[in-house]
Amino acid sequence: MTADVLEVENHNVASDDARVEQQIGVQLTECVFHSANIYTVTEDDTAERRYEVALAYLAGGVPRRAEDLLRELAFGVDQTSGHVYHYVLSVFSDRGLGDLTKDLTAGLRDARKIAEGLPDDGWGRANRVVWSLFDHVRKDRSGDTFAAVEAFGRLPAPRQDEIATHLSRLVAGSVEQRLNAERKHQVGVERLSGDRIGRVWKYFEPDPAPPSRYEPRLELPRLTGRRSAVLGAVAAAVSAVGLFTGPFTASFWGGLAVMVAGCAVMGGFGVAHTAHLVQVALRREAAESAGGRGAATPVDRLIDHCFRETRPEFAHDWPNYAAGYAARLKTRFNAQLWDQDRVSLRRWKWLFDWHARRVADRWPHHDPIVRPEGTVPGGARLWQVVGVLVTLAGLGLLLVAAQRWWAVPLAVGGGFALPTVLEVLAARRAVLRPRREADALFDEENDEFLRWRAELADRPGDGEMARWLALDKAHLKSAVLRGGDIGERDLVSHVVLTQPAPGARRGSVTHGPPRYSAYLVTVILLTRRGVQASRVYLDFGSGEVKNEVRDVFGYDRIVSASLRMEDGRRVRRREFRLTLVNGAEIITVAERLDAGSDTAAADEAELERLAAETSGMDAALPVLLAVAREGTAWIGFELERQSLRSRDWE
């Protein structure tokens, strides 16, 4: 592995009480993938499909990828006003005036000329507003009445949102405040629109897998090694036929009736008792196998996690109470889901959660959903003895009163065959109850599956998630400006960085950027007087903002900046650090760029590249490097760079 380090040192001396310690980077968390193909494009796709994907990238906060697709459309044979308008937006997105290179400027010039010859539709009018805003910024016409603001106010709300979002680094100060005043809705209110609180959590839930019917295990007694039982059964059958070879007297019919009644009592209670013993043995065997598998499987860990999450309040004995039910679930689903990987296994989490809730609902009454053992009629052993005595009495009548000597081999053969017959019948009966329970349980599981799938039907799309995040960023930036009492013309530049909060859940669509259930958002304002960095915790589901940490420090207190590149066989990593004179690392940016030929690693690297683009890292790095390199002089250099870009345009 090789490492190249670029360091910029600034040895100005200042006070050492500033401390920000912002860390911006990609954290890998548990992820849910959705199979939507909104970002999938091939060489054979039509212009309409490529335009659709480009718009998805632009709305999803990945403007550089949208720019590549839209450039081909805007300068191709099928160009439209929409193609040109969105291409211009993609170029301006996440860029300030000083970031417009000569190549970008040339492309924008050509796009502006093309737009002049296209129909004057809604896209064309929105495009003219964008150019009016751009001309206002680069010429710094602060004294004008600024007709572009009025034209912006006449645009539909979706166009206003697009322009305000993608031109946020280009327009600032008084221009941005005037645009916000003209918007058809308030950002602070709109960011919670679309039932965000009730729907965001669904984005991080995987598509549920349908339940499968559980088949209880049944092992009938093997007749191998039970020759005496087989011979006894044959002898008893032959003897039973022989009973009917004599005269049919009253004593014969009486003895036969008594014998049959005794066999019925003995067999009925004997089967019930033996079935109870078989059920106990099967359940204990299942519990032993669940506890004796060695290391916990992914199924075991997920089931345990679901039961921990569902633990009722003040349920101190909950682990012991739920252990038996959880053990049976582990045995069942380890057999059913043995070939599922960790990501696919989460598609069954809804089912484990449902089972855990069923147990938790019974907690106050300590009423188990499934009895650990089957019940047996009271006095079964006594009734078996009574049945044996009645059977012997019947055989005695047949032998003595009816002179049926076949009763002797019948009694002997039945004695050898009876235990095995009872065991076979009991095993069949023992499995009937679990099968009935399994059938009823499958119906309940399927009802829950249908309910859960309907619950997730209005899950937000990636575009909605991106729009909410963009509105959050705009809202937080405005809040920091108000809180810092920063004047309209004091703000030189700004960057907004996002990173997943610790423990946040992650979700993404195919080839799309990651979205998180919670963020740490850092707003860095570069003003004429110094730097203000504010970090907050954003609960993305509710939009709640809390735990703000705010620091202000001068440019001369930044002592160094380093950019480290690591090249390996499978991974390329970039890490940026900005350090104050007291040694505090105020910002750390780390991103993984590539992953060689390994498919799984390449997918993860692609996800992290998208994370870097949507987190604001790519826009922040050049600005922060320049600040560290130039110190206080950065302001003059930045203003000169903007002036130079404006002259280049002229």
Side-chain angles (χ1 to χ4, degrees):
M1 178 177 292
T2 62
D4 299 321
V5 179
L6 169 64
E7 293 199 358
V8 180
E9 298 291 341
N10 182 336
H11 294 286
N12 294 324
V13 178
S15 59
D16 57 358
D17 58 339
R19 186 175 182 83
V20 183
E21 298 182 355
Q22 309 284 353
Q23 293 193 4
I24 312 300
V26 176
Q27 300 180 9
L28 301 183
T29 60
E30 195 166 23
C31 185
V32 173
F33 290 98
H34 304 296
S35 58
N37 292 320
I38 59 175
Y39 294 116
T40 303
V41 63
T42 65
E43 295 181 357
D44 299 329
D45 282 336
T46 62
E48 290 76 11
R49 172 59 185 170
R50 301 176 76 83
Y51 186 42
E52 179 183 346
V53 174
L55 293 183
Y57 272 126
L58 190 60
V62 195
R64 302 290 78 84
R65 304 199 178 196
E67 181 183 341
D68 293 338
L69 291 171
L70 289 167
R71 184 186 300 108
E72 300 176 6
L73 297 172
F75 300 119
V77 295
D78 299 322
Q79 57 193 208
T80 66
S81 299
H83 294 165
V84 176
Y85 164 71
H86 285 110
Y87 167 70
V88 172
L89 279 187
S90 70
V91 175
F92 283 142
S93 185
D94 270 349
R95 288 188 174 115
L97 181 61
D99 300 321
L100 299 179
T101 64
K102 290 185 177 181
D103 290 340
L104 293 175
T105 299
L108 288 171
R109 285 179 181 276
D110 293 340
R112 190 169 190 173
K113 293 177 181 178
I114 292 173
E116 293 173 354
L118 294 174
D120 186 20
D121 53 13
W123 302 120
R125 289 189 290 274
N127 204 11
R128 286 199 301 273
V129 171
V130 172
W131 286 115
S132 297
L133 292 171
F134 173 73
D135 290 339
H136 178 89
V137 170
R138 69 182 180 82
K139 294 181 180 179
D140 194 20
R141 298 180 300 192
S142 56
D144 291 354
T145 57
F146 198 27
V149 172
E150 297 179 2
F152 174 86
R154 291 192 293 269
L155 292 176
R159 302 290 79 77
Q160 291 183 342
D161 287 345
E162 290 173 346
I163 293 173
T165 298
H166 297 294
L167 270 65
S168 63
R169 292 196 62 214
L170 187 68
V171 299
S174 60
V175 179
E176 185 177 26
Q177 291 183 3
R178 294 179 188 178
L179 293 182
N180 288 335
E182 291 290 334
R183 295 182 72 165
K184 289 182 168 58
H185 57 64
Q186 297 297 319
V187 172
V189 176
E190 187 66 13
R191 72 188 190 94
L192 297 178
S193 64
D195 191 22
R196 170 178 174 174
I197 297 176
R199 295 173 59 215
V200 162
W201 64 269
K202 302 177 184 180
Y203 189 84
F204 304 100
E205 294 292 333
D207 295 326
S212 57
R213 189 184 300 273
Y214 174 57
E215 294 294 338
R217 185 167 58 95
L218 170 63
E219 291 185 4
L220 294 178
R222 298 180 180 179
L223 299 181
T224 305
R226 302 196 184 192
R227 183 177 301 176
S228 59
V230 175
L231 294 177
V234 173
V238 173
S239 301
V241 174
L243 289 177
F244 292 89
T245 57
F248 299 108
T249 61
S251 58
F252 167 78
W253 290 112
L256 184 63
V258 173
M259 183 191 70
V260 171
C263 288
V265 173
M266 178 179 59
F269 284 94
V271 169
H273 184 263
T274 308
H276 169 72
L277 297 179
V278 171
Q279 288 178 353
V280 172
L282 289 177
R283 291 188 183 276
R284 288 178 179 173
E285 181 183 348
E288 291 174 359
S289 63
R293 282 195 302 268
T297 66
V299 171
D300 295 342
R301 289 191 290 270
L302 185 54
I303 290 176
D304 288 336
H305 171 75
C306 293
F307 273 84
R308 283 194 301 271
E309 282 189 331
T310 319
R311 177 175 181 165
E313 190 175 5
F314 306 119
H316 302 296
D317 196 38
W318 173 252
N320 292 331
Y321 174 74
Y325 194 91
R328 289 191 290 276
L329 286 181
K330 293 175 183 178
T331 300
R332 169 188 169 183
F333 288 108
N334 272 295
Q336 289 182 311
L337 308 177
W338 61 272
D339 60 341
Q340 301 294 320
D341 58 40
R342 183 178 63 84
V343 175
S344 300
L345 186 61
R346 291 195 60 81
R347 297 184 61 201
W348 275 269
K349 184 179 182 295
W350 69 270
L351 186 55
F352 302 158
D353 284 333
W354 178 74
H355 277 284
R357 290 197 303 271
R358 292 178 79 227
V359 179
D361 290 342
R362 302 296 183 96
W363 164 255
H365 311 291
H366 283 264
D367 181 19
I369 295 177
V370 178
R371 301 289 179 181
E373 299 175 359
T375 58
V376 63
R381 278 295 194 183
L382 178 60
W383 280 107
Q384 284 181 268
V385 173
V386 172
V388 171
L389 295 177
V390 172
T391 301
L392 291 176
L395 289 172
L397 286 175
L398 289 173
L399 179 62
V400 177
Q403 298 293 308
R404 291 297 199 272
W405 299 102
W406 288 103
V408 175
L410 177 62
V412 175
F416 281 103
L418 184 61
T420 299
V421 173
L422 289 179
E423 191 174 347
V424 171
L425 295 176
R428 291 187 178 278
R429 175 179 291 189
V431 83
L432 289 179
R433 178 171 179 249
R435 280 181 174 171
R436 288 195 299 267
E437 291 176 349
D439 291 341
L441 184 61
F442 174 74
D443 292 337
E444 293 183 60
E445 290 176 343
N446 197 56
D447 290 342
E448 174 64 13
F449 167 72
L450 296 176
R451 187 202 69 79
W452 185 246
R453 190 170 62 177
E455 179 80 12
L456 299 180
D458 64 340
R459 181 164 47 200
D462 186 76
E464 286 183 279
M465 299 289 285
R467 179 174 180 270
W468 284 325
L469 182 58
L471 291 170
D472 283 340
K473 291 179 180 179
H475 172 72
L476 292 173
K477 177 195 169 187
S478 298
V480 173
L481 281 170
R482 291 194 304 270
D485 193 24
I486 298 175
E488 295 178 356
R489 301 189 61 82
D490 284 340
L491 184 63
V492 179
S493 184
H494 77 280
V495 291
V496 181
L497 299 164
T498 61
Q499 63 173 322
R505 301 182 66 184
R506 185 178 76 184
S508 64
V509 300
T510 305
H511 301 307
R515 311 295 180 191
Y516 297 95
S517 60
Y519 290 89
L520 296 179
V521 182
T522 303
V523 181
I524 302 175
L525 304 179
L526 304 169
T527 72
R528 296 178 183 272
R529 293 177 293 177
V531 181
Q532 176 169 310
S534 179
R535 182 176 64 177
V536 298
Y537 176 92
L538 170 65
D539 184 334
F540 194 68
S542 64
E544 180 185 5
V545 177
K546 58 185 179 181
N547 301 337
E548 181 179 10
V549 177
R550 181 178 298 177
D551 291 88
V552 180
F553 49 91
Y555 293 105
D556 56 352
R557 298 172 68 182
I558 301 174
V559 67
S560 70
S562 64
L563 180 64
R564 177 180 294 272
M565 304 292 295
E566 295 181 355
D567 295 327
R569 183 176 61 87
R570 292 176 52 189
V571 177
R572 293 180 60 245
R573 180 179 177 84
R574 181 171 62 178
E575 183 177 77
F576 175 82
R577 295 176 182 273
L578 194 65
T579 309
L580 292 182
V581 292
N582 64 348
E585 294 177 353
I586 58 174
I587 296 175
T588 299
V589 179
E591 57 181 319
R592 174 176 167 174
L593 304 175
D594 198 7
S597 60
D598 182 81
T599 302
D603 291 341
E604 192 66 39
E606 172 71 7
L607 193 65
E608 294 190 20
R609 281 194 297 271
L610 290 168
E613 292 185 45
T614 54
S615 68
M617 293 180 197
D618 287 349
L621 283 173
V623 176
L624 297 178
L625 278 171
V627 169
R629 180 185 298 112
E630 307 298 341
T632 306
W634 172 82
I635 299 175
F637 284 114
E638 176 64 17
L639 296 177
E640 176 61 25
R641 191 164 67 105
Q642 294 180 12
S643 177
L644 178 62
R645 292 289 181 258
S646 180
R647 290 196 299 271
D648 287 343
W649 182 269
E650 295 295 343

